[in-house]
Amino acid sequence: MRVFGGILRGRRLQTCRVASLRPTSEKIREAIFNILDPLLTEGSVLDLFAGTGSLGIEALSRGMDRVVFVEQNATVVSFLKKNIRHCHVEDKSEIIRLPVSKGIKVLKLRNEKFALIFLDPPYQEKLAGKTLWEINEAQLITQDGLIIAEHSSQEILEESYGRLQMNDQRTYGQTLVSFFSL
């Protein structure tokens, strides 16, 4: 797995073999960032179910200011830390090692707002809809921010979650990528 755009282009990212980990494929990541490219100027990024950090690190590479990674698995977090060090983005990265629901509560208490939020939960757990509700309740998105939810085609998302409205949805095999904003 590698970073394919921006200042970190070509950097290889490590991955690990953990049953619940399903890194975003390079094809899907490239498609997402081709859509996002004109929007990536500045602001904070939230990478939920971060895994080894490929989405957040790619966003940093393309000009975003900082990333908060939320990942609960200790083994996966050790690989995430290695990738952050390898890309020399420690000063722009924060890791919250908690389940996503608890991480969202911490961020709400800190009154954090994000211009870009990625969520890529384990497909079999069908957590995308639940997580979108939690993001809405915590009011984590900036007024002009965007949420990108990668999920299984078996998990059909609603058109809205409170104030969050679906703007677009793309299909890549058995994967759907849904875009939400206020």
Side-chain angles (χ1 to χ4, degrees), residues 58-180:
E58 187 76 40
L60 285 175
S61 180
R62 292 168 178 259
M64 298 303 281
D65 297 327
R66 71 184 267 267
V67 178
V68 176
F69 298 94
V70 179
E71 175 59 55
Q72 72 175 346
N73 184 297
T75 303
V76 175
V77 167
S78 70
F79 281 87
L80 173 58
K81 288 178 180 178
K82 288 177 189 175
N83 286 334
I84 289 169
R85 277 193 306 273
H86 175 68
C87 293
H88 306 290
V89 292
E90 299 94 331
D91 59 328
K92 297 181 176 187
S93 302
E94 176 186 355
I95 298 171
I96 297 176
R97 192 174 154 242
L98 289 171
V100 165
S101 289
K102 289 183 179 177
I104 288 172
K105 289 176 184 169
V106 167
L107 294 167
K108 178 181 179 175
L109 288 173
R110 290 179 5 189
N111 201 29
E112 293 260 14
K113 301 282 185 208
F114 298 92
L116 190 57
I117 300 176
F118 293 108
L119 62 122
D120 183 11
Y123 283 6
Q124 68 277 10
E125 296 183 34
K126 296 185 178 180
L127 294 171
K130 176 184 181 287
T131 306
L132 286 162
W133 274 117
E134 292 170 346
I135 292 167
N136 175 69
E137 290 296 316
Q139 299 178 17
L140 295 179
I141 191 84
T142 60
Q143 188 61 40
D144 57 350
L146 189 61
I147 301 169
I148 297 93
E150 184 181 336
H151 55 100
S152 165
S153 60
Q154 302 300 308
E155 182 178 10
I156 306 303
L157 296 182
E158 303 293 328
E159 290 294 318
S160 66
Y161 292 87
R163 295 176 50 217
L164 305 177
Q165 301 293 316
M166 186 186 299
N167 317 42
D168 194 4
Q169 188 173 71
R170 309 286 175 102
T171 304
Y172 304 94
Q174 295 299 309
T175 298
L176 294 177
V177 178
S178 301
F179 298 83
F180 288 84

